[in-house]
Amino acid sequence: MASGWSIIIGLVIIAVLCVVAWIFSPKGENQVLWRSSLILAIISCYLMWAITFLAQFNPLITPRRSDLRPEYLHE
């Protein structure tokens, strides 16, 4: 099952990927552009995943079954 540790483990992996992108970016006059682009892409992907993952912990809309008889609904 999913837990809150997934966010922290993902953050550690993303930090390692950002350091790798910083160190191994191609040398030259576009090095800053490469570093910025890679790190921004990695962080953006992590944020999208984390927001989607955390939204499933406490959904705003509760799913409801429509095939139950009224006497079995307990709201």
Side-chain angles (χ1 to χ4, degrees):
M1 233 26 223
S3 69
W5 284 105
S6 300
I7 299 294
I8 296 170
I9 292 170
L11 185 61
V12 169
I13 292 171
I14 292 304
V16 169
L17 285 175
C18 286
V19 169
V20 168
W22 181 273
I23 294 171
F24 293 111
S25 61
K27 306 292 185 248
E29 63 183 39
N30 291 330
Q31 184 177 20
V32 174
L33 180 66
W34 272 99
R35 283 180 178 170
S36 302
S37 299
L38 289 172
I39 291 173
L40 184 63
I42 291 168
I43 291 174
S44 296
C45 288
Y46 171 74
L47 280 176
M48 189 64 210
W49 171 79
I51 290 169
T52 304
F53 184 81
L54 289 173
Q56 295 176 15
F57 273 132
N58 190 14
L60 295 176
I61 300 171
T62 305
R64 294 189 181 160
R65 291 182 57 177
S66 61
D67 61 337
L68 293 177
R69 289 184 286 181
E71 58 267 13
Y72 289 111
L73 295 176
H74 41 53
E75 293 186 279

